[in-house]
């Protein structure tokens, strides 16, 4: 699931998990590191959604900056 900071992606993930799907989350952030990007809200959303999952969930935090820099250079 592509997890953003809005309400629609967590609700969609919850609906999938209610049907028995296993979800892993991907969030693209604008910082060079998760600490710099302040991904706390996304981590909180993933932890909240983990309550409905019978298996461990994975959250992948992907920095966008290195890819943007590659496109410029």
């Amino acid at each position: 699931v592509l997890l953003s900071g809005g309400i629609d992606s967590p609700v969609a993930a919850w609906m999938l998990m209610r049907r028995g799907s296993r979800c892993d989350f991907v969030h693209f952030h604008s910082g060079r590191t998760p600490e710099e990007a302040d991904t706390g809200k996304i981590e909180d959303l993933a932890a909240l959604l983990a309550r409905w999952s019978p298996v461990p969930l994975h959250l992948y935090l992907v920095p966008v900056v290195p890819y943007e820099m590659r496109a410029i250079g």
Side-chain angles (χ1 to χ4, degrees), residues 19-30:
R19 292 177 158 225
S21 296
R22 177 180 173 251
C23 294
D24 287 331
F25 302 112
V26 177
H27 175 73
F28 293 93
H29 61 82
S30 59

Side-chain angles (χ1 to χ4, degrees), residues 3-5 10 25-27 29 33-51 57-62:
L3 192 61
S4 67
F25 302 112
V26 177
H27 175 73
H29 61 82
T33 64
E35 295 80 24
E36 184 180 304
D38 191 26
T39 57
K41 177 181 178 180
I42 301 300
E43 293 168 353
D44 291 344
L45 280 173
L48 184 66
L49 289 167
R51 295 181 191 178
L57 301 177
H58 296 99
L59 171 62
Y60 300 98
L61 300 170
V62 181

